[in-house]
């Protein structure tokens, strides 16, 4: 049995979230847009590699825990340190706030951290864990 974890969150700007995910190497699996306002996303799924992925939707103001934007923390693993450096520059160019600049870590791998337009924390690195 394969177990997969899909972080899930809400966003105030679906277009910016989609642009960010594509920049980080995610591919679209499913987007269900709101019938009354197609700029809003009721549910979206984006894949990363063979088993990784993420789900999101637009803020609904329904009082659910997911509607509290900006509290997520997501770490994206990429194949090489060169890819980390390339993505770092792309994230800078997109204007996201860098929290921790790109650097080689003592525990292995190369990483950086940033915050997205909703205040979610993202880490990108080549470290796959022990």
């Amino acid at each position: 049995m394969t177990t997969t974890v899909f972080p899930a969150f809400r966003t105030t700007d679906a277009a910016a979230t989609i642009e960010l995910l594509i920049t980080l190497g995610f591919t679209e699996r499913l987007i269900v847009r709101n019938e009354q306002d197609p700029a809003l996303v009721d549910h979206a799924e984006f894949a990363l590699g063979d088993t990784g992925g993420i789900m999101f939707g637009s803020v609904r103001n329904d009082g659910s825990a997911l509607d509290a934007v900006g509290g997520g923390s997501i770490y994206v693993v990429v194949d090489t340190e060169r890819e980390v450096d390339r993505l770092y520059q792309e994230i800078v160019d997109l204007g996201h706030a860098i929290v921790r600049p790109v650097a080689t870590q003592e525990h292995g791998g190369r990483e950086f951290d940033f915050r997205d337009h909703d205040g979610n924390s993202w880490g990108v690195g080549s470290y796959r864990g022990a």
Side-chain angles (χ1 to χ4, degrees):
M1 179 174 134
T2 301
T3 302
T4 304
V5 176
F6 284 88
F9 61 93
R10 300 261 174 94
T11 181
T12 60
D13 187 338
T17 297
I18 291 168
E19 179 181 29
L20 173 61
L21 292 175
I22 290 170
T23 297
L24 292 172
F26 286 80
T27 57
E28 177 185 327
R29 277 195 184 149
L30 171 70
I31 295 180
V32 178
R33 297 207 176 259
N34 184 282
E35 289 182 14
Q36 286 77 38
D37 184 354
L40 300 177
V41 171
D42 288 337
H43 178 77
E45 299 174 18
F46 278 71
L48 184 64
D50 293 333
T51 60
I54 199 160
M55 296 182 204
F56 76 91
S58 296
V59 170
R60 297 184 183 130
N61 298 312
D62 62 3
S64 72
L66 283 177
D67 254 1
V69 297
S73 180
I74 301 155
Y75 181 70
V76 177
V77 179
V78 299
D79 288 333
T80 66
E81 291 183 359
R82 182 177 295 176
E83 181 72 357
V84 173
D85 291 341
R86 183 187 70 74
L87 287 171
Y88 178 78
Q89 190 55 56
E90 287 196 36
I91 294 302
V92 168
D93 292 347
L94 286 174
H96 292 290
I98 300 300
V99 175
R100 187 171 53 106
V102 67
T104 300
Q105 303 302 308
E106 289 183 24
H107 61 273
R110 194 158 169 79
E111 301 174 346
F112 70 93
D113 296 330
F114 69 96
R115 290 203 186 274
D116 70 13
H117 55 279
D118 285 321
N120 293 304
S121 298
W122 293 78
V124 176
S126 59
Y127 181 70
R128 295 189 173 275

